[in-house]
Amino acid sequence: MKKKIVAVMMSLAMVASLGSGVTVFASDDASTDYDVENREYNDVTITIHTRWDEADVSGPLYQAIVDGFMEEYPGITVECINIPTESEWLNSESVLMSDPASMPNILQEYGGSRVAGYIEQNLIVNMDPYYEQYPEWEERFNSLGTSLVDYSSFGYEGTYGVPFTAYQIELFYNEDILNENGIDPASIKSWDDLMAACETLKANGVQPFEMGEMDDYRFGHLHSMLNYKTYGCEVAEQLGTREMTYDSEEQIAIYNMIKEAVDKGYLGTNLLGNDDGQERSIFNTGGCAFLFMGTWYCAEDHSGLELFENEKIHAMRFPYVNEEYELDDMGGGNEGYYVVDTGDPDEVAASVLFLKYMTREDVVNTFVEGYPIPMSVNVTSDAGNYLVKEANAIIAETEDVRGDIENYDSATHMINTVRQALQGLAMGQTAEEVGQRIVEMIAQYE
């Protein structure tokens, strides 16, 4: 393989940030053939950088898409770089994208400033000409994934990507535990209501949450959601433009909500010792009352779990802080796929062809039948379990959504900076100290 993947992967531990001397490729649009289906492919290899987890129920389904594509197009070989852990995946992407010799052909990403940075360097292919070539392809997508492919807020016109799955962050609860402790789930509308329920549970010797903050996205998601539920989804842009600062009174209030729940033991008994997999396992086996998680949880393999088989686990909308923003939530497109312009027209064409295949009706239906998750691609299959249907009903009533709040900042380091600082709340740091640390880290990068 011409790409120096092995050598680059060995250097991940030594390289911490994206280099500045990236070679910029520019496709000659006048000579590009956008009809990727009627092109001859001979011994073309493309690489995909993903978070696909072979141990997860979705892993074999993604691999089946790859295998099916290679069977249908034998002149193309698809090689996957699968790194399930988010922090390791982000570091890997930075390293691979810093060297033209190691750049993957396709990136799985969540959109936002990281991808905008690549667009600025002319490294991401504008998909508009391909959608114009195949208008029926573009019609396959719904509005859930719009935020993943629209970069007009960053000043770039065009459609830069192919959306795939979607999500919303919701609150899941154990019906039996709440009933046994006299808590009516219908009464939990606000954050104060949730904290009152946690107080009751804790007093009765029941653990409310067991968050796995070893995976630092857990507090990251909680921080995003509390912001949207307090100030509305537009706060993402306010933080992104620094109209609101991370050490402002508004943000100190958010950190304090998390800190108070931490200090009272509501969020977990081993926050930095458990990861998100352990968090879900504890909830699935009745070890805690609540789980704060994305709707991908609904599609996980729950076979053999008594609580799930007896339909004792249910979904509710995450409680509001300010009732005005009850229907503002964290969600939207979950994963998008972006074609990297490596300067090789065969690789670019093969990459577009793969994504066209991946979002084909029969392929998507098969994927959803095995992994019933909300999709940014229209689905004609009726697959889905009871929990998926509960979660989708909540999504249907949502009025506004945003993704990770840090992704609306032009500085690509922000998602790691904020998440790492938030871990301080589990280490006894004050809200003011967390805000100060974020601001100090921002200053170091500027």
Side-chain angles (χ1 to χ4, degrees):
M1 184 175 65
K2 72 180 181 63
K3 299 179 184 295
K4 298 180 289 188
I5 297 297
V6 175
V8 173
M9 294 302 289
M10 289 177 64
S11 69
L12 287 178
M14 297 181 290
V15 182
S17 61
L18 180 65
S20 59
V22 177
T23 300
V24 175
F25 300 109
S27 296
D28 183 1
D29 291 340
S31 62
T32 300
D33 180 4
Y34 299 111
D35 186 4
V36 297
E37 289 191 343
N38 295 303
R39 186 187 186 101
E40 185 175 354
Y41 300 93
N42 294 309
D43 196 25
V44 178
T45 297
I46 60 173
T47 55
I48 306 178
H49 187 263
T50 80
R51 283 194 65 200
W52 298 347
D53 187 351
E54 297 174 359
D56 183 76
V57 64
S58 64
L61 294 168
Y62 283 114
Q63 187 59 49
I65 293 174
V66 172
D67 293 341
F69 175 79
M70 290 193 293
E71 182 177 348
E72 192 161 324
Y73 299 95
I76 304 173
T77 299
V78 180
E79 298 180 348
C80 300
I81 309 169
N82 299 327
I83 305 177
T85 302
E86 184 163 298
S87 59
E88 295 176 5
W89 163 75
L90 286 172
N91 289 336
S92 170
E93 178 184 296
S94 294
V95 173
L96 295 175
M97 289 297 290
S98 69
D99 184 350
S102 66
M103 289 180 182
N105 297 101
I106 299 174
L107 294 176
Q108 176 194 347
E109 254 287 2
Y110 302 146
S113 58
R114 287 190 303 277
V115 176
Y118 300 142
I119 295 173
E120 183 177 3
Q121 299 173 74
N122 293 330
L123 294 178
I124 302 297
V125 173
N126 184 347
M127 297 299 296
D128 280 346
Y130 298 98
Y131 290 140
E132 291 172 5
Q133 176 74 35
Y134 304 108
E136 73 284 355
W137 183 22
E138 187 174 25
E139 292 171 1
R140 299 251 326 115
F141 304 105
N142 56 49
S143 60
L144 286 175
T146 301
S147 62
L148 293 177
V149 297
D150 181 359
Y151 287 83
S152 57
S153 62
F154 291 91
Y156 305 111
E157 298 302 322
T159 307
Y160 290 92
V162 176
F164 195 57
T165 61
Y167 79 107
Q168 186 161 301
I169 300 298
E170 296 181 359
L171 186 64
F172 300 93
Y173 65 91
N174 182 313
E175 174 187 339
D176 286 345
I177 291 179
L178 295 194
N179 287 341
E180 290 166 3
N181 289 274
I183 299 170
D184 180 4
S187 69
I188 302 175
K189 300 293 185 182
S190 70
W191 177 254
D192 287 343
D193 294 335
L194 179 60
M195 292 298 98
C198 289
E199 182 178 4
T200 298
L201 291 167
K202 200 72 175 175
N204 292 341
V206 178
Q207 184 57 36
F209 290 85
E210 278 290 4
M211 291 187 69
E213 179 56 14
M214 180 185 292
D215 287 313
D216 63 8
Y217 83 89
R218 303 303 294 124
F219 278 9
H221 281 186
L222 185 55
H223 171 256
S224 292
M225 181 60 91
L226 286 173
N227 264 286
Y228 300 149
K229 292 294 188 178
T230 304
Y231 308 118
C233 284
E234 291 183 359
V235 70
E237 286 80 14
Q238 293 169 3
L239 276 172
T241 60
R242 312 293 167 78
E243 176 186 343
M244 180 186 294
T245 63
Y246 278 89
D247 62 350
S248 63
E249 291 183 4
E250 293 88 349
Q251 290 307 298
I252 297 299
I254 300 297
Y255 309 144
N256 268 323
M257 289 183 212
I258 301 173
K259 178 174 173 52
E260 289 172 6
V262 168
D263 291 348
K264 291 179 179 180
Y266 296 164
L267 297 187
T269 58
N270 190 22
L271 284 167
L272 296 177
N274 289 336
D275 60 22
D276 68 342
Q278 292 166 303
E279 173 183 0
R280 285 174 288 185
S281 178
I282 292 169
F283 176 75
N284 288 341
T285 53
C288 62
F290 295 110
L291 176 72
F292 158 72
M293 188 66 65
T295 47
W296 55 79
Y297 168 74
C298 306
E300 293 175 357
D301 184 5
H302 295 114
S303 57
L305 291 175
E306 184 178 347
L307 288 172
F308 187 80
E309 291 179 349
N310 293 332
E311 298 190 6
K312 296 295 186 179
I313 296 173
H314 298 284
M316 69 168 68
R317 186 179 301 280
F318 191 85
Y320 62 80
V321 179
N322 182 341
E323 189 172 4
E324 178 183 355
Y325 303 113
E326 178 182 5
L327 301 181
D328 283 32
D329 286 282
M330 181 178 178
N334 184 39
E335 57 180 299
Y337 292 84
Y338 301 85
V339 176
V340 177
D341 190 348
T342 60
D344 186 319
D346 287 333
E347 292 179 1
V348 170
S351 299
V352 173
L353 183 63
F354 174 81
L355 295 180
K356 190 172 187 298
Y357 172 88
M358 185 177 186
T359 52
R360 202 169 71 186
E361 181 177 1
D362 60 322
V363 176
V364 169
N365 283 345
T366 299
F367 180 84
V368 172
E369 286 165 8
Y371 190 56
I373 190 173
M375 299 291 292
S376 297
V377 191
N378 293 325
V379 177
T380 55
S381 171
D382 191 30
N385 55 54
Y386 83 95
L387 196 57
V388 169
K389 293 173 182 176
E390 288 184 9
N392 283 343
I394 294 169
I395 291 174
E397 296 179 349
T398 299
E399 292 183 352
D400 200 1
V401 295
R402 295 289 191 282
D404 290 282
I405 204 164
E406 307 89 356
N407 284 344
Y408 297 85
D409 196 296
S410 60
T412 58
H413 68 86
M414 286 301 292
I415 193 164
N416 284 332
T417 294
V418 173
R419 288 179 176 181
Q420 290 167 13
L422 290 171
Q423 284 194 322
L425 297 172
M427 303 175 187
Q429 293 182 7
T430 67
E432 289 77 11
E433 287 171 336
V434 169
Q436 182 180 2
R437 181 183 175 190
I438 295 173
V439 171
E440 288 175 349
M441 289 298 296
I442 291 173
Q444 289 182 24
Y445 279 95
E446 291 179 343

